[in-house]
Structure formats: structure tokens, C-alpha cells
Amino acid sequence: VEAAIRELHYRPNAFARGLMLRKSGIVGLVLPDLHGEFYSEIIRGANSQAREMRRNLLVSSALPGENAESWLSDFGQRGLVDGLVVMVSDTMASGIGATLAGLNLPIVMLDDEIDGVEHDAVVIDQRQGALAMMRHLVENRGAKNIVFVGGPETNIDTQARYAAYCATLKSSGLKFSKSNVHFLDFTYDSAYKLALENVNRWTGPHHFIFAANDEMAAGIIAGAIAKNVSVPGEIGVVGFDDTRVARMTNPRLTTVRVPMSRMGAQAVELLCQRIDDPERPEARIALEA
Amino acid sequence: VEAAIRELHYRPNAFARGLMLRKSGIVGLVLPDLHGEFYSEIIRGANSQAREMRRNLLVSSALPGENAESWLSDFGQRGLVDGLVVMVSDTMASGIGATLAGLNLPIVMLDDEIDGVEHDAVVIDQRQGALAMMRHLVENRGAKNIVFVGGPETNIDTQARYAAYCATLKSSGLKFSKSNVHFLDFTYDSAYKLALENVNRWTGPHHFIFAANDEMAAGIIAGAIAKNVSVPGEIGVVGFDDTRVARMTNPRLTTVRVPMSRMGAQAVELLCQRIDDPERPEARIALEA
DNA sequence: TTGTATGCGTTATCAT
DNA sequence: ATGATAACGCATACAA
């Protein structure tokens, strides 16, 4: 038989197999967006772990203006994937939770959780990371004034980092000012523009800018330099994520390392474990920033 | 019937459907690597086009040290995917061609072609782009000496860009020197190191460095600055790809735009067209750099 | 241990 | 036009 298999190049048919086993060997990875190094690294980690687990990886991100929920439920119920790794990121998209619950599929949430539904999760301890950064600015660098530049206000990462920002200001007796808080879109260009308009107001001894990702931090640095403001001489800028851009700014960026590819890998590992053993208790892995 | 479908949340089973139709609605995207913005943008374009065509996208990249060919043939013959978009990039991996031919699946090659096998292709006119850049340096900037910093010597993009480099030197009467050619690995860090060691030798009036991607160009600029060499004062540096880093260097990088996400999108479109109509004549789309 | 038959959920074919 | 049934390729339960 083995000889015949080789001779005829026999390969079991995936559909017939799936029909009996109710398994495809495919795990889905659903991301809110595919732009930038953050998502790219998650895919890379997920791919590598999927290969390790002998699974295939189906990647998908909703197009802007598309009804992600109806697509997701349709897609999930056709049985093509054995489970899903889902990242939502936007706190406005609360309907997704109910949709996922209705799928009756193993789900691993990335960087988020949904109530009332059994699912595994991989989260990054962002609060701790953001607190560490803020503490660093206040305690080691004697920060007197810190500007916060976030992504969209409804973004879950922005919220976590903003909360740590507020908490640290309070606990260290620094004054909070609404005019020190800006919500952008995580891009270099918008941060660059913001810096052009505001950097003169921002500068001062022991003044810092805490950007919610590295790309915006890089944009702010470039904007400051364009306005002849010296970084870190007249103002300090720090970022978040530790993407490759953090090594490319001049000076190199102080940032918070987020294990992006590990997130993807861990999520896929958790998912495959649960597919193999549906009875396993819920797991929630927190990765350190 | 329609009412019952809604009431019971009926969804056709993907396996049973695939068994009859011999179609899964899944297209595969096989990349040599998932590192960096280049591949990330290809995935983004492919995803967006796949959604448009109501297909799902399976992404995969071989792990280092893995036998990609046996995996590919096994995978392709199980019938899970309706077709493949394949990027190889390394001219050493010539065995892949025969493997793909044996699959008897619709194939779209990215940035490459394989002989003796019918397949569609999406290529970037790199030669033209690299020639344009070289001509710009020679004609508009009066370049007298140009250093070439490529990726791996077996990389297909490196070869195309290197060929244009050599051709332009020849046609414009500049002297070629083996010591002006370096093959690295496309990363910032290795280019940074290379610059630290060589930048003093490189500087001079009308001296330029032509890096085969933006990341290495950024690394070279940073290395030069670290050695107190002014860019572009004492030496000019140009890149390739027009990734986001090109906007982040200071000064902004002169580079060649490569429509990465368009590549991914075009490839998926071509693939789906062929899946729907196997008789369609071979297509080969060249995108301008 | 070896061989045979049934069912998985569809689509397609054929008889009504 | 409508309804019954075979076939897709495999895994599994059962008979030999």
C-alpha cells in the first residue's frame, strides 16, 4: 500500500476527509486591519506556529465599510475553519461578541475578551507596560509635563495606555490637562502634522510626549526637528510597541516592547490545543510588555 | 424555503460542497518570508482583492530549514485551495518550478516566471525602475561613483537591480569596481554595520549609494550619521520600494516606488479569473515601478 | 486481522 | 417543473 501511495502520488482529499472528521486543519486569523508592522508581525508569529502545529492559516481582515459581522457568521458556520483567532481592537464593535458566541467554534481573542462566552485569550499586559513607561518618565527623567498622543479614542490599546497615563499623572501629583491629550490614527503623517502645529507649545524643561505607538513617535520627532526643536534636548519623545521604526529614529526611540509575533504564535497554539481537546479549561495568557 | 433557511440559520457545508464542486473558494498565497513591510503590503492587497472576489485567503510562508517543496506538493494536491499565488524570490530554489507544475493547479507567479509551465504572472518592471534611478543619479545628480548595496546575491530582485546598476555604469562610462558592490540581507542592522565600516571610504563629491531596499538605505544613513558623515552633504543615499521608512529618514529618502499591494491584488484577481475560466489564455501583467 | 457497507452534506442526474 | 437518487472520497462500524 505504501508503495502504491508513492507510485500514484496519492493524497487524501481534504473535502472528503473534512466531511467525516469535521475538521479542516485550517485555523482562521481575523484582524481589524492589515496595515503596518504590528499586524504583520502577528501574522508572522501565527504562521510559524501554525506550521509547527501542522495547520494552515487563513488570514482575513474586514474591508472598510463592510459588514464584518454577517460575513464572520456566514464564514464561521460553513465549517471551513476549525477555529478562529480574532482581534477586534475597537471597543465600538461590541456586536462582534454575540456573533462569535453564535458560531459555536473555538475562539481565541487577541488583546481583548468578550463577556459571557467561553473562549481563550492572549492579552498583553499593556497597563503594566504603559505604567512602567510613565513611571520611567516621572521617576527617572523628572517629567513635569507629559503630552499623550493616542490612536483612535475607541481603540482598546489607546484606552489602556491612556488609562495608565491618567493614573500616573494622578499618583505622582502632576496636573492633567485636556489640551495635553490628542487622539489620532496611529499614523506617522498625522503625528507629524500634529507636532508641526503644537511642538512649540510642548517644549520646555522636563517636558515629554508619550505616543501610543512608535510610528506616531517617529512622526512627532520628525515634526519637532522640522520646527528646529531639538529631540531630546528641548523635548523628550517616547513610543510604544518596539517596532522596527524604533531603531530607525535619531536618536533611537525609548519604547515599550510588545511581543507581537509571540501574540500570534501563542494564540494559534492555544487554539490548536483547544481544537484537539475541547474539554480543556479556559486559558488566558498574559504576555508581559 | 428561504424562510426556513433563515429560521434554522442554514449554511451549506463547505466540505460537502467542495466534494461535489471541486472548489473550496480558497486561494493560497505562498511567500518566501513574512518579515517586513514588503510582504505585509502584498498580503494586504491580496486580502482586499480576495474579499472583493468573495474568496478566502490562505497565507503561508515556509519556515527556515523546512522542505518547502514537499510541503507545497502535499498541500496543493489535497485540493484545499483552488489555486496559488506564489512568490519565490530566490533563484536557487529552482526545484519549486517542477513542483508547481506537478500540482496541476492554477498558479500565478509573483515577480518571477517558471519555464515550460503554463501559468499567469504579475511582475514588476524592476529593471526599468532601477535604470530610472541610476539614470537620475548619473544625469541629474552628476554621480561619479556609485556603491551598490543589495540583498542576498541569489535574490531575484537584487539581481534585477544589480543588473541595471552594471548596465548604467557601463553605458555612462563610469568605472565598475567589485569593491563597490555589497550583498547583504535587506535588513537595517546589517546595512548600518556596513556603513560604519565603509562610509569613510565611500564619501566624496558626487558619490552615491544605491541600496536595494529602503530599510538598508535607512541603515546606511544612520551609520553614516553615526560616523559624522553628512547625508546628503558628503554622500547621497537612495533606496528602493518606497515603503514607509522612506518617509521616516531624515532627509526623506529618494526611492523607487514599487506597487506592493497592487501586486498582491492583481495576482489574486488573475488567479480568480483563471479559476473561473481555465481556458483563458495566459496572462502576464507587468506593473510599472 | 481482513474485508464490506454505511454515512457525512452537498450537487447533479435521472425518472416522474 | 418536481421529486427521488447516485456520486463525490473518505472514515468507521461491523461482519467475516
Side-chain angles (χ1 to χ4, degrees):
Chain A
V1 169
E2 297 288 344
I5 286 176
R6 274 191 301 278
E7 192 169 340
L8 304 172
H9 296 105
Y10 170 82
R11 296 279 182 271
N13 178 290
F15 301 122
R17 215 147 184 289
L19 209 48
M20 282 305 296
L21 301 178
R22 331 234 58 149
K23 293 246 145 63
S24 64
I26 301 177
V27 294
L29 175 60
V30 182
L31 298 173
D33 187 8
L34 294 179
H35 235 116
E37 186 176 349
F38 191 86
Y39 300 111
S40 164
E41 284 294 293
I42 289 175
I43 294 175
R44 196 169 65 83
N47 170 71
S48 129
Q49 187 68 30
R51 297 301 289 272
E52 203 91 24
M53 308 288 249
R54 330 218 82 199
R55 300 299 214 291
N56 289 308
L57 187 68
L58 194 86
V59 176
S60 185
S61 151
L63 260 45
E66 191 181 27
N67 184 347
E69 288 180 46
S70 77
W71 171 80
L72 198 61
S73 86
D74 184 71
F75 170 68
Q77 294 190 351
R78 297 180 111 91
L80 239 190
V81 293
D82 297 339
L84 289 175
V85 175
V86 181
M87 176 145 67
V88 177
S89 285
D90 194 304
T91 53
M92 289 280 78
S94 52
I96 290 280
T99 303
L100 290 174
L103 285 186
N104 210 33
L105 259 185
I107 303 276
V108 177
M109 293 299 292
L110 271 184
D111 219 9
D112 200 356
E113 321 211 9
I114 44 183
D115 301 329
V117 189
E118 180 166 326
H119 66 85
D120 301 324
V122 175
V123 300
I124 297 216
D125 195 344
Q126 307 221 44
R127 185 173 173 81
Q128 171 255 323
L131 284 174
M133 175 62 94
M134 286 295 290
R135 244 194 333 265
H136 168 70
L137 294 181
V138 172
E139 293 174 11
N140 303 339
R141 311 298 304 279
K144 296 294 174 229
N145 187 59
I146 304 177
V147 171
F148 178 82
V149 179
E153 196 164 359
T154 56
N155 177 272
I156 194 169
D157 300 321
T158 295
Q159 290 181 351
R161 293 161 199 185
Y162 180 56
Y165 166 81
C166 294
T168 306
L169 289 190
K170 196 168 208 173
S171 68
S172 49
L174 293 177
K175 72 169 203 304
F176 169 89
S177 161
K178 190 71 194 155
S179 67
N180 269 345
V181 176
H182 302 270
F183 293 105
L184 304 179
D185 60 359
F186 284 132
T187 68
Y188 179 91
D189 287 333
S190 63
Y192 180 84
K193 265 188 220 154
L194 182 77
L196 285 185
E197 293 163 12
N198 293 281
V199 70
N200 288 318
R201 185 165 69 75
W202 287 340
T203 55
H206 304 288
H207 280 209
F208 288 88
I209 298 174
F210 178 23
N213 76 345
D214 294 340
E215 213 179 302
M216 291 195 297
I220 290 166
I221 291 176
I225 290 172
K227 283 287 194 177
N228 285 313
V229 169
S230 143
V231 180
E234 301 175 64
I235 190 161
V237 179
V238 299
F240 214 104
D241 288 348
D242 195 22
T243 50
R244 288 155 102 93
V245 284
R247 243 159 293 164
M248 298 186 190
T249 59
N250 187 16
R252 295 199 174 188
L253 197 59
T254 297
T255 188
V256 177
R257 169 161 303 173
V258 174
M260 300 163 287
S261 74
R262 279 271 303 287
M263 274 178 83
Q266 276 285 1
V268 168
E269 187 176 359
L270 237 46
L271 183 57
C272 293
Q273 284 174 4
R274 167 158 302 265
I275 289 167
D276 293 337
D277 173 18
E279 304 307 321
R280 197 204 52 181
E282 274 186 53
R284 182 183 177 284
I285 292 189
L287 298 178
E288 252 182 82
Chain B
V1 169
E2 297 288 345
I5 286 177
R6 273 190 301 279
E7 193 169 340
L8 304 171
H9 296 105
Y10 169 82
R11 297 277 181 271
N13 177 291
F15 301 122
R17 213 146 185 286
L19 207 49
M20 282 307 295
L21 301 177
R22 331 231 57 140
K23 292 246 146 64
S24 64
I26 301 178
V27 295
L29 174 60
V30 181
L31 299 173
D33 187 8
L34 294 179
H35 235 115
E37 185 176 348
F38 191 86
Y39 299 112
S40 163
E41 283 295 293
I42 289 175
I43 294 175
R44 196 169 66 83
N47 171 71
S48 129
Q49 187 67 30
R51 297 299 290 271
E52 204 90 23
M53 308 288 251
R54 329 217 81 198
R55 301 299 214 290
N56 289 308
L57 186 69
L58 194 84
V59 176
S60 185
S61 152
L63 259 43
E66 191 181 28
N67 185 346
E69 288 180 45
S70 75
W71 171 80
L72 197 62
S73 85
D74 183 71
F75 170 69
Q77 294 191 351
R78 296 179 111 91
L80 239 190
V81 293
D82 296 340
L84 289 175
V85 175
V86 180
M87 176 146 66
V88 177
S89 285
D90 194 305
T91 54
M92 290 278 77
S94 51
I96 290 282
T99 302
L100 290 174
L103 285 186
N104 210 33
L105 259 185
I107 303 277
V108 177
M109 292 299 293
L110 270 185
D111 219 10
D112 200 357
E113 321 211 9
I114 44 183
D115 300 329
V117 188
E118 180 165 328
H119 64 86
D120 301 325
V122 175
V123 300
I124 296 217
D125 196 343
Q126 309 221 43
R127 185 174 173 80
Q128 171 254 323
L131 284 173
M133 175 62 94
M134 287 295 291
R135 244 193 332 267
H136 168 69
L137 293 182
V138 171
E139 295 174 10
N140 304 340
R141 311 298 305 279
K144 294 295 175 228
N145 187 60
I146 304 177
V147 171
F148 178 82
V149 179
E153 196 164 359
T154 56
N155 177 273
I156 195 168
D157 299 320
T158 296
Q159 290 180 353
R161 293 160 199 186
Y162 180 56
Y165 166 80
C166 294
T168 306
L169 288 191
K170 197 167 207 173
S171 68
S172 49
L174 292 178
K175 75 170 199 304
F176 169 89
S177 161
K178 189 70 192 159
S179 66
N180 269 346
V181 177
H182 300 270
F183 294 105
L184 303 180
D185 59 359
F186 282 132
T187 67
Y188 180 91
D189 287 333
S190 63
Y192 181 83
K193 266 189 218 153
L194 183 78
L196 285 185
E197 293 162 11
N198 294 280
V199 70
N200 288 318
R201 187 165 68 75
W202 288 339
T203 56
H206 304 288
H207 281 208
F208 287 88
I209 298 176
F210 178 23
N213 76 345
D214 294 339
E215 213 179 302
M216 291 195 297
I220 289 166
I221 291 175
I225 289 172
K227 283 287 195 178
N228 286 312
V229 169
S230 142
V231 180
E234 300 175 65
I235 189 159
V237 179
V238 299
F240 214 104
D241 288 349
D242 195 22
T243 49
R244 286 155 104 95
V245 285
R247 244 158 292 164
M248 299 188 189
T249 59
N250 187 16
R252 297 200 173 188
L253 198 58
T254 297
T255 189
V256 177
R257 168 161 303 173
V258 173
M260 300 164 288
S261 74
R262 279 271 303 287
M263 275 179 82
Q266 275 286 3
V268 167
E269 185 176 2
L270 237 45
L271 183 57
C272 293
Q273 284 174 4
R274 167 156 304 263
I275 289 168
D276 293 338
D277 173 17
E279 305 306 321
R280 197 204 51 181
E282 274 185 54
R284 182 182 177 284
I285 292 188
L287 299 178
E288 251 182 83

